[in-house]
Every structure is written in structure tokens, then in C-alpha cells.
Amino acid sequence: MSATFLGMPGNFPKNSARAVQNSQLRYNLRKATHTIRGKRASVVGELPDWQELRAAGKAIKDETLRHLDRYLLQLEAAVTAAGGHVHWARDAAEANRIVAGLVKATGEREVVKVKSMATQEIGLNEALAAEGITAYETDLAELIVQLGDDFPSHILVPAIHRNRAEIREIFLDRMADAPPGLTDEPAALAEAARVHLRERFLRSKVAVSGANFMIAETGTLVVLESEGNGRMCLTLPETLISVVGIEKVLPTWRDLEVFLQLLPRSSTGERMNPYTSTWTGSAEGQDFHLVLLDNGRTDVLADEVGRQALRCIRCSACLNVCPVYERAGGHAYGSVYPGPIGAILTPQLRGMGSELDASLPYASSLCGACYDVCPVAIDIPEVLVDLRAKAPHGAAERAGMRVAGWVLNDQARLAAAQRAASRLRGLVPRRLPGPLSAWTDTRDLPDIPEESFRDWWEREG
Amino acid sequence: MSRSAREDILARIRRAVDGAPEVDIPRRYRATAEVGDLVGLFAERVGDYRAIVHVVPEAEVPARIAEIVAGRRMVVPEGLPAGWTPPDTSGAGPADPYTADGVVTGCAVAIAETGTIVLDTGPGQGSRAQTLVPDYHLCVVRADQIVAGVPEAVSRLDPARPLTWISGPSATSDIELNRVEGVHGPRTLEVLIATA
């Protein structure tokens, strides 16, 4: 059973410094991110109205968030009218309690799961284990992560950090029914997973899922996937429990025409993902429960700058273009939400109380590539800068900034400081002393000119 | 517990968005796509997913189905047009999805631009389990069921019905991003496009 991300030690610089030493990881990440990046660019380029779709997607999400109370109530009424049951959870503990209670009520001790970020965020598998319930991940990558007692490192491709040889080892080691002659061919590995899970799908009475979208108007839930494990979980078991963040609602059925174009192209770089399932309430006689999850989302909603992060549709396009993610990998972010979106979502959902969470707003060079590819136009650099201002700063840094502000705010003081610097330029060492050496060890100190531009301008102009 | 979670969350939302500006939704994207040859584009795009595609005149569909599924035990969903029902070559009677070799269905709508087929469990489309469990899916798409783009499909579909949107066979790219067809859903998707 994989441990939970909550309370992970360290901070982003330390974690990423460790990660970049791992050449296999760097190779796997570079190959994967560059491949998806290229596919995304080509299918997005096919649509002449991409920017119009993006503008609509952004606005639909903003409208949803503006009247989230109304849309959630409408959704609740529609799901209930269609024979489903709706539960509300303020935080992770409450959501886990609700799900465990629902599973116990069925008398079952096992659940199958289709990949869901929300249930990872709340540590559902661990909470169920504590209640004597075993949760089986069925997405191939999640299975690899779960069997390897590992953490997911990418939103779309959680085992992106593992290569085929490592996956073969994990299967042979941890999967009781893995064929002894298993090769490391991707097709053979996928076949082993198919056989391993088949029996479980047919036997399971309870499934747990998330959802990509929920339609307020009709009470319909929507799940996009590739392998068919989602269809298995959503269709075959008698009881289906979906845990979904409150921000995943969309006002109308028609809104899907926008998001079913934005999400697959941004995410897997396909015109459409292999399978999308939609269902409304109790479909084909199934017992359906929807657990609506807050867990910090209303805090994010209260922040005028930061609330745009709630538009996120978890496509992971921002991860694939990020120069920092490409080198550091997903684990360095210490959260189920890695990459640029994680750097703004995690500190807002969890607060910046821990060293790790306070370091996340700095896990970026602010190059802006994430904003360019975001299908719902989240201005990630804007939120990062805003969070940096809100993050805790050391006493020395605050004092230094106060002095700098005092000098820079006054022309005469600035001129005096520049002249002093020019006179002392010969005394500046290549490597700064004490803690400042951390700066000069990785960067060249800029040369101080003999004369400031302002002085030169005054003399020559 | 004093207030319910529901009341708490709703109150927190109302506080959080109090005074936030109203939003206009610009819908300047294409409501309909201009596609000259719907059948041709659909066939090409389904083929891109490595599905098997045939384009045949409607009158020849029964013979083609019989030819394609000869020797396989097929699930025949309720309401499948009589002509599309393959002759029972196995002699074992109607197949259930857990032991059958495959399933033959119609569809609710198809999308040319994305190569997508949508099933809504209506007549001739089977239950969701019937089209999921067998390893092989033969789907007949009538040319008049093909629309150009996603918006036209969404407006034709009924959200009250459980829908399955299918774009090629089941696939995964989880191992080094190598696409492998066939994990849990049908490993082979064959599409017969019936033209008038």
C-alpha cells in the first residue's frame, strides 16, 4: 500500500537536488514530457478555434465558481431525482469516513478503484485499509505505483518515472499471478495486468471513482480514460461511490462540447481519449453515491488571485512543458499535484505551514510556458508571484528587502549607493562570503561598472 | 455536530465569492464544423486509432457482418436489426458477454473530426457490460449518424441515458509512453460504415 504524501519532509530545492542526480529518472522524464508535448501541439494545431474554446472553458469555469453554491444544489437535486445519493464532506477525514461507512454497509471488504486525484489527495486507500477494507487500483500506472509501494509522479502518467525493466521487476516481485517468463515488452506487461485484474473486476461488488466533470443541470457524471478499467469499475459493480471535488461541476450539458475538446487534446495529445463514460444517478440499476469534497477548496475560492487554480481540469499539459518539472520530477513536489499546477494548488489547499509547502511557490522560473498551454488559461505565474509574497520570509531577508526598498525608493540615495559601489568595485570578491556564497557558487556576480548609466547620461547628455 | 457539512460548505462558498464579478461566457468557437466528406474523414480518423474500418453500401451490410464474424460466438443485443444479426455458426445458442468472442452493435451517433462512436444503450446497442467485457467489438455506423464535430454530437445525445464514447480500441501508454492496444476493454474494434 503506498504511503500518503501528507506531511512529507524536506523542501523543493532539497528534493529536486536529489532527483536531478538520478540519470534514469531524468532520461525517462525528458523522453515522456517531450513526446506528449509534441503530440499535444499537433492535435491542438488542428483546431482553428482553439483560443475560442480556451476562452469559453475559462469563462464557464469562472461562472461555475462564481455561483458554486447554486450549481452544487442544482446538481444535488438532479442526482437525487435520478436515484443517486449525495453526501457532503468538509475535509479528508469526513470524506474517508463516509466512503468507509458506505463500503461497510454493503458487507464487502474489497473495492476496485479507477484512477482519481481526489481520493489520492485525501489518502482514501490508507483510510480504508485502517478499517480493514482493501482498495485495488486498476489503472495500469496506478497499479505499478501501488505494487511498487511508491508515489505517483505525474497526473496523467503516474509511473512516468519507471522504465519497462523496473516495471517488470515490480510485477514479478509483487504480482502473485505474474507469468514467470514475463518479458519487459510493454504489450506483455499490459497483458499481465489485464489477466491480473480481470478476475477482480468480475468479482467486485463495490467501486470507487472520481469524475472529470459533473453536470449541474442534468446530474450527469463524466469520466475520461484510456484502458477500459474505468468502464469496468463504473459499470460492473453493484455499488458505485464517486468522490469528487466541488469545483468539478459544470452548469450545463452543453458545456461538455467545450471540455470534451479541450481535455483530451491537452492531456494525452489525442483527438479523443479511447473511452468516456457518462451516467446520471442510478444507471442500469446501480446503487450510486456521490461524495462532494471541499478539503480546502473553499479557502482557495476565497482568494481573489488564487481562485483561478480551481479552474484546473487536471490535464497535466503544464507539467509536460515545465523546465523545472522535466528535471526535478513529480516526487520533489511532495503532493499528488506536481508540476506548475501543483506549485499553486498544494500551498493553497494545505496552507504554507510546512517547509515543503512554503517552498513550492519558488519551484518555477516564471517562464510562463504553463500559462500558454493551459486549456482554461490559469495564469500560473501570476498566482506563483502572489503566493511568494504571502509565503513566510526569514528575518534577514525581510531586513535586506527593507534596506533595498529604502535605497531604491529615493533617487539621491540610489545615486549615492551606485557611486559607492563603483568606487569599491575592485574589492568585490568572485565568491561572496558566508551564506551569500550559495548565490555565487551557481551564478556569476554581475560586474559593477566604473560609472553608473545615470552619471554617464548626465555627463554626456 | 452543530451544522451539517452541506450547510457549512455552502456558507463557506457564499462568503468566499461575495462581491466577485459576474461572468459572461463567450461561445465564439465553432458550433458546427465544415467537413466535405463526413464518411471519408470519419473512416480516416477511426483508422488512426488502429481500428479496422470498412465502408460498404447499406444493402451489403448483412453479408459483410456474416463474413466478418464467421466462426465467432457473438453477443447479439436486443433490438439489433434482423439483417445485422449474424447467423449462429457455433450452434451453441445466444452468447453471454462473459464467454462470447465478441459483440456486434449499432450506435447512437458518431463524430468525424475525432473518430468517435457513441453508444447510449438504446436498441441494438446493448448494455454497457455487453459492449465492454467481450474482447472484440464490431460496430455498425450508418452514414446519417455521423456528425462533423463534438458540439453536434453533444446536442444529439440524451444525458439521461448512460453513454459510452469510444475512440478506438482500449489502449494504454503508461509504460514509457508506448501505446499498447487492448488492456481491459475490447482489444479489437472493427467499424462498418454503411452508406446509403
Side-chain angles (χ1 to χ4, degrees):
Chain A
M1 199 72 22
S2 46
T4 161
F5 269 117
L6 297 171
M8 222 156 117
N11 60 36
F12 186 80
K14 278 185 208 152
N15 297 347
S16 51
R18 212 170 28 246
V20 294
Q21 302 303 317
N22 183 340
S23 59
Q24 179 70 56
L25 175 71
R26 278 207 322 271
Y27 174 83
N28 293 354
L29 281 171
R30 185 183 155 79
K31 176 167 179 264
T33 54
H34 283 249
T35 305
I36 319 186
R37 206 191 279 190
K39 285 170 66 184
R40 177 205 163 270
S42 107
V43 294
V44 163
E46 275 181 7
L47 293 188
D49 54 347
W50 184 255
Q51 290 308 331
E52 287 75 19
L53 286 165
R54 189 171 178 246
K58 167 182 189 268
I60 291 168
K61 281 287 185 179
D62 282 345
E63 161 63 18
T64 309
L65 294 171
R66 176 64 188 86
H67 298 288
L68 189 57
D69 54 335
R70 199 168 75 201
Y71 291 123
L72 286 172
L73 288 173
Q74 194 186 0
L75 173 77
E76 181 188 47
V79 170
T80 309
H85 307 274
V86 179
H87 311 262
W88 301 67
R90 277 169 281 223
D91 53 26
E94 193 165 27
N96 289 333
R97 244 192 338 268
I98 293 170
V99 177
L102 290 169
V103 177
K104 282 182 179 171
T106 65
E108 292 296 315
R109 285 300 193 208
E110 284 182 6
V111 300
V112 282
K113 280 187 70 201
V114 50
K115 178 176 160 40
S116 131
M117 305 297 297
T119 59
Q120 278 173 23
E121 176 192 319
I122 62 175
L124 178 68
N125 293 5
E126 295 74 26
L128 289 178
E131 301 278 343
I133 300 162
T134 311
Y136 294 100
E137 294 291 350
T138 64
D139 174 80
L140 178 53
E142 293 290 353
L143 178 71
I144 295 165
V145 168
Q146 190 178 40
L147 290 174
D149 215 3
D150 195 359
F151 294 107
S153 67
H154 189 281
I155 290 174
L156 173 74
V157 205
I160 200 169
H161 57 291
R162 297 285 197 184
N163 65 15
R164 57 179 78 188
E166 295 170 294
I167 295 166
R168 174 177 172 270
E169 288 301 314
I170 293 170
F171 278 12
L172 286 175
D173 215 35
R174 304 285 179 89
M175 209 160 80
D177 53 359
L182 184 65
T183 69
D184 65 1
E185 272 305 301
L189 295 168
E191 170 68 16
R194 175 184 168 101
V195 171
H196 174 69
L197 287 172
R198 193 82 179 171
E199 164 68 19
R200 187 152 284 147
F201 283 132
L202 302 185
R203 192 178 69 211
S204 291
K205 300 273 194 290
V206 185
V208 175
S209 84
N212 296 97
F213 309 104
M214 310 185 280
I215 310 297
E217 175 187 41
T218 59
T220 308
L221 269 77
V222 184
V223 167
L224 281 72
E225 53 136 352
S226 296
E227 296 171 14
N229 63 309
R231 292 176 69 191
M232 288 279 178
C233 289
L234 301 171
T235 308
L236 300 184
E238 292 160 10
T239 302
L240 172 62
I241 305 166
S242 301
V243 181
V244 190
I246 50 174
E247 83 285 15
K248 294 272 164 238
V249 69
L250 296 176
T252 67
W253 175 250
R254 184 189 173 191
D255 295 329
L256 274 184
E257 71 188 21
V258 175
F259 290 95
L260 288 182
Q261 297 193 74
L262 289 175
L263 181 50
R265 289 179 199 256
S266 298
S267 186
T268 54
E270 293 167 298
R271 296 185 183 111
M272 198 62 98
N273 50 297
Y275 298 133
T276 296
S277 296
T278 78
W279 73 97
T280 303
S282 159
E284 295 183 313
Q286 215 172 25
D287 191 16
F288 173 60
H289 295 268
L290 171 61
V291 181
L292 295 172
L293 176 73
D294 181 345
N295 204 34
R297 285 161 176 76
T298 47
D299 292 330
V300 185
L301 187 62
D303 189 306
E304 280 178 35
V305 178
R307 67 166 63 116
Q308 58 184 308
L310 294 177
R311 282 187 217 137
C312 176
I313 55 175
R314 313 280 189 261
C315 72
S316 68
C318 62
L319 276 61
N320 302 331
V321 297
C322 178
V324 176
Y325 176 87
E326 184 187 324
R327 287 161 183 87
H331 292 159
Y333 295 80
S335 158
V336 293
Y337 305 112
I341 186 63
I344 64 169
L345 205 50
T346 307
Q348 293 199 82
L349 285 173
R350 299 204 293 222
M352 287 187 278
S354 77
E355 192 191 344
L356 174 69
D357 294 344
S359 71
L360 288 176
Y362 296 90
S364 166
S365 64
L366 300 179
C367 76
C370 49
Y371 177 37
D372 291 341
V373 297
C374 179
V376 285
I378 301 170
D379 191 342
I380 293 176
E382 182 193 15
V383 183
L384 284 169
V385 170
D386 188 60
L387 286 171
R388 286 180 186 185
K390 289 170 180 158
H393 295 273
E397 187 188 342
R398 276 182 281 133
M401 285 299 167
R402 264 200 305 277
V403 171
W406 184 77
V407 172
L408 293 168
N409 265 327
D410 182 283
Q411 237 183 66
R413 279 180 220 141
L414 177 62
Q418 284 175 330
R419 276 178 216 128
S422 295
R423 273 198 300 278
L424 298 173
R425 61 197 285 261
L427 303 176
V428 176
R430 284 282 124 202
R431 185 165 189 267
L432 291 174
L436 295 174
S437 64
W439 176 270
T440 46
D441 282 349
T442 50
R443 298 166 184 85
D444 289 329
L445 209 59
D447 287 328
I448 301 172
E450 254 175 90
E451 185 180 23
S452 78
F453 175 77
R454 283 154 182 269
D455 283 348
W456 173 84
W457 184 260
E458 201 138 286
R459 190 161 49 75
E460 295 290 314
Chain B
M1 210 178 300
S2 49
R3 238 182 356 177
S4 72
R6 180 176 182 271
E7 291 315 307
D8 255 0
I9 293 169
L10 290 170
R12 289 176 62 85
I13 290 169
R14 288 172 189 139
R15 252 196 328 273
V17 299
D18 186 41
E22 293 297 326
V23 182
D24 280 323
I25 300 173
R27 293 190 192 262
R28 290 187 295 265
Y29 53 87
R30 297 169 304 154
T32 55
E34 273 156 45
V35 175
D37 176 13
L38 280 175
V39 168
L41 183 65
F42 176 68
E44 176 203 313
R45 295 281 156 98
V46 177
D48 282 349
Y49 297 122
R50 295 186 223 173
I52 306 162
V53 188
H54 316 266
V55 182
V56 287
E58 184 137 22
E60 289 172 29
V61 168
R64 286 304 288 272
I65 291 176
E67 183 190 315
I68 291 169
V69 306
R72 292 189 223 234
R73 265 187 89 223
M74 299 294 285
V75 173
V76 178
E78 247 180 71
L80 192 75
W84 297 2
T85 303
D88 181 9
T89 46
S90 71
D96 86 84
Y98 297 93
T99 56
D101 298 321
V103 59
V104 52
T105 70
C107 72
V109 64
I111 308 168
E113 231 177 42
T114 62
T116 303
I117 292 159
V118 188
L119 307 180
D120 72 359
T121 71
Q125 297 173 52
S127 68
R128 291 181 296 171
Q130 282 179 318
T131 49
L132 169 63
V133 178
D135 203 17
Y136 166 82
H137 183 186
L138 173 63
C139 185
V140 186
V141 178
R142 291 195 324 266
D144 63 5
Q145 292 180 303
I146 304 173
V147 298
V150 173
E152 293 134 286
V154 169
S155 75
R156 277 203 194 187
L157 290 162
D158 175 5
R161 309 186 71 92
L163 303 178
T164 307
W165 299 49
I166 297 171
S167 304
S170 150
T172 183
S173 298
D174 280 347
I175 301 165
E176 296 181 8
L177 285 169
N178 283 291
R179 189 179 157 105
V180 176
E181 272 82 25
V183 194
H184 305 295
R187 282 184 277 200
T188 310
L189 174 69
E190 193 155 359
V191 179
L192 258 182
I193 305 171
T195 54

